[in-house]
Amino acid sequence: MKDYESFLNDVLKIYDKRISHVDKRASKENWGARETRNIIMPIKNERLLVYRIIQKDPKLLEE
């Protein structure tokens, strides 16, 4: 279980880096709020799913 948990923690860090990268690029290239949100929201939703697996459903990692 610890292997899966450490892997999922690494995935969370990757999602955080992707969100940060997109946010920096958006500010650098002067994207609108809607365009930025359309790109970032799917990444945030995937990150939230992984976070919920780690925090609320650790039994899924045992299988």
Side-chain angles (χ1 to χ4, degrees), residues 41-56:
M41 286 312 292
I43 300 169
K44 283 188 175 183
N45 290 337
E46 291 173 12
R47 186 195 182 284
L48 184 60
L49 179 65
V50 172
Y51 178 78
R52 285 182 180 163
I53 290 172
I54 293 172
Q55 295 298 318
K56 298 189 179 196

Side-chain angles (χ1 to χ4, degrees), residues 19-31 36 39:
I19 291 170
S20 174
H21 178 75
V22 169
D23 193 39
K24 287 178 186 176
R25 184 174 172 195
S27 64
K28 189 182 291 186
E29 296 181 9
N30 296 325
W31 292 352
T36 304
I39 294 171

